[in-house]
Amino acid sequence: MSRGRAMDIRRVGRRITFGLVIQAIAIVALMIVTTGPAFAAKPSRGGGSGSTTTGFDLSYPQCGSSFPSTTAFGIVGVNGGLANDLNPCLGPSSSYSQSELYWAVATSIGGTAQPKASLYVNTADPGNVYNGTPITDWPTTGTTPYGSCKTTTVTTTSGTYNVGENSQACAWQYGYNKASQDAAWLTSAANAIDGQNPPTSVPTSPGNYPWWLDVETANTWQSGTTGQAMNVADLQGMVAALKVSSVAAVGAYSTSSQWNAITGGTTSASGSLWQIPNWIPGARALRGAISNCKQTSFTGGTVSVTQWVSRLDGDYSC
């Protein structure tokens, strides 16, 4: 899976080729290349490199490459590596005619406990100033469960600025704003796909999909006990925004060590992060992913999906 860092980030894209083998008198190797419009014809269930029992997750590093032609379910990244940018091939665009959202909806054949298509979003809590630079999209107003987000004055080496407070209230509002933008991007991408009259229509409401919060230490987070409290508020704001967008299922992609480092751990039954489903990475093969279904949930909920990394990110429904 692709991850984001709010200010300083490096990403390595991966291009994957999938082979289709047809055996007759001789064996001829054919390369599968998925090109054409975003609503390219749905591949047959028997071909390609996918599986009828496992899924894949795709995001911006796979833009422009070949997508799996068969999968039980697909999980698509809404963001382009940062919490505040867009995956350029979530929907059709001038740069990429292939849509990963359409791929997940039209190619997935089901058959597991996971829905055919889900979404994940990058998360982060940079605070109002990061590396001496004010965060331009850090909120300055908002009424939240932690009170009002208010402004304050900060002085850095480059000058004095009026910014939103580095508080739980403003952190909650930051997360709320990011998730609201994600929901709007989803609807826009789905409308663009459906405007092309594809063979398979794509649901436009965020509530038609489960959503996963990608919570990793590679992203930018605040530190210390006070920082962890603001990180929790940030994630709670994201959950709240998705609920307002009619999303019923919100889970977290993380590991116990990363989740605990960022949030301080989910130890209380109160709060919207308690017992949300887990999607756990870390395996190198399907066998390891299956075994990881037995891990203890880092939120006190259930482990619903596990991931292993080969040429693509594969996913197993527990």
Side-chain angles (χ1 to χ4, degrees), residues 32-139:
I32 297 174
V33 181
T34 313
T35 58
F39 50 85
K42 181 177 177 180
S44 63
R45 296 188 180 187
S49 59
S51 168
T52 58
T53 60
T54 58
F56 293 97
D57 58 269
L58 303 181
S59 191
Y60 73 98
Q62 287 75 48
C63 290
S65 66
S66 301
F67 299 162
S69 60
T70 306
T71 185
F73 60 95
I75 309 176
V76 176
V78 174
N79 304 112
L82 304 176
N84 57 2
D85 66 359
L86 173 66
N87 174 0
C89 62
L90 177 64
S93 68
S94 58
S95 299
Y96 302 103
S97 60
Q98 291 186 99
S99 163
E100 291 180 345
L101 176 60
Y102 184 80
W103 162 81
V105 172
T107 303
S108 301
I109 61 176
T112 74
Q114 294 304 306
K116 292 183 178 180
S118 302
L119 303 164
Y120 78 84
V121 296
N122 290 117
T123 64
D125 178 13
N128 56 6
V129 176
Y130 184 79
N131 282 347
T133 301
I135 301 298
T136 57
D137 56 356
W138 189 255

Side-chain angles (χ1 to χ4, degrees), residues 1-312:
M1 176 184 283
S2 312
R3 313 294 169 249
R5 190 177 182 90
M7 297 295 295
D8 180 14
I9 178 172
R10 292 177 293 177
R11 287 291 177 269
V12 178
R14 295 170 294 174
R15 296 184 59 86
I16 308 297
T17 304
F18 298 91
L20 173 64
V21 177
I22 299 178
Q23 182 174 6
I25 297 175
I27 296 179
V28 181
L30 301 175
M31 301 303 294
I32 297 174
V33 181
T34 313
T35 58
F39 50 85
K42 181 177 177 180
S44 63
R45 296 188 180 187
S49 59
S51 168
T52 58
T53 60
T54 58
F56 293 97
D57 58 269
L58 303 181
S59 191
Y60 73 98
Q62 287 75 48
C63 290
S65 66
S66 301
F67 299 162
S69 60
T70 306
T71 185
F73 60 95
I75 309 176
V76 176
V78 174
N79 304 112
L82 304 176
N84 57 2
D85 66 359
L86 173 66
N87 174 0
C89 62
L90 177 64
S93 68
S94 58
S95 299
Y96 302 103
S97 60
Q98 291 186 99
S99 163
E100 291 180 345
L101 176 60
Y102 184 80
W103 162 81
V105 172
T107 303
S108 301
I109 61 176
T112 74
Q114 294 304 306
K116 292 183 178 180
S118 302
L119 303 164
Y120 78 84
V121 296
N122 290 117
T123 64
D125 178 13
N128 56 6
V129 176
Y130 184 79
N131 282 347
T133 301
I135 301 298
T136 57
D137 56 356
W138 189 255
T140 58
T141 61
T143 301
T144 83
Y146 295 96
S148 297
C149 174
K150 302 176 182 179
T151 59
T152 188
T153 301
V154 297
T155 300
T156 71
T157 55
S158 58
T160 299
Y161 304 91
N162 290 321
V163 297
E165 289 180 334
N166 199 34
S167 64
Q168 284 179 279
C170 290
W172 187 96
Q173 191 64 51
Y174 180 81
Y176 187 94
N177 293 349
K178 296 304 104 180
S180 296
Q181 179 66 82
D182 292 330
W185 277 334
L186 176 278
T187 298
S188 177
N191 280 328
I193 294 168
D194 290 345
Q196 297 177 324
N197 296 316
T200 303
S201 62
V202 174
T204 60
S205 170
N208 287 118
Y209 307 88
W211 290 65
W212 296 94
L213 306 179
D214 180 357
V215 182
E216 300 183 73
T217 53
N219 303 345
T220 300
W221 298 98
Q222 303 199 61
S223 60
T225 303
T226 300
Q228 288 175 334
M230 287 188 280
N231 296 339
V232 168
D234 167 85
L235 295 172
Q236 289 175 336
M238 297 193 78
V239 173
L242 293 174
K243 295 296 185 183
V244 168
S245 296
S246 301
V247 175
V250 180
Y253 172 99
S254 193
T255 62
S256 292
S257 60
Q258 293 183 93
W259 182 263
N260 292 340
I262 292 165
T263 69
T266 307
T267 58
S268 172
S270 63
S272 58
L273 302 182
W274 173 248
Q275 292 189 333
I276 63 175
N278 295 178
W279 174 14
I280 297 180
R284 296 180 179 272
L286 173 59
R287 186 174 183 177
I290 294 173
S291 178
N292 283 346
C293 289
K294 300 176 183 178
Q295 286 194 23
T296 300
S297 167
F298 50 79
T299 62
T302 58
V303 178
S304 299
V305 183
T306 55
Q307 181 194 69
W308 80 97
V309 178
S310 181
R311 293 180 303 170
L312 278 179

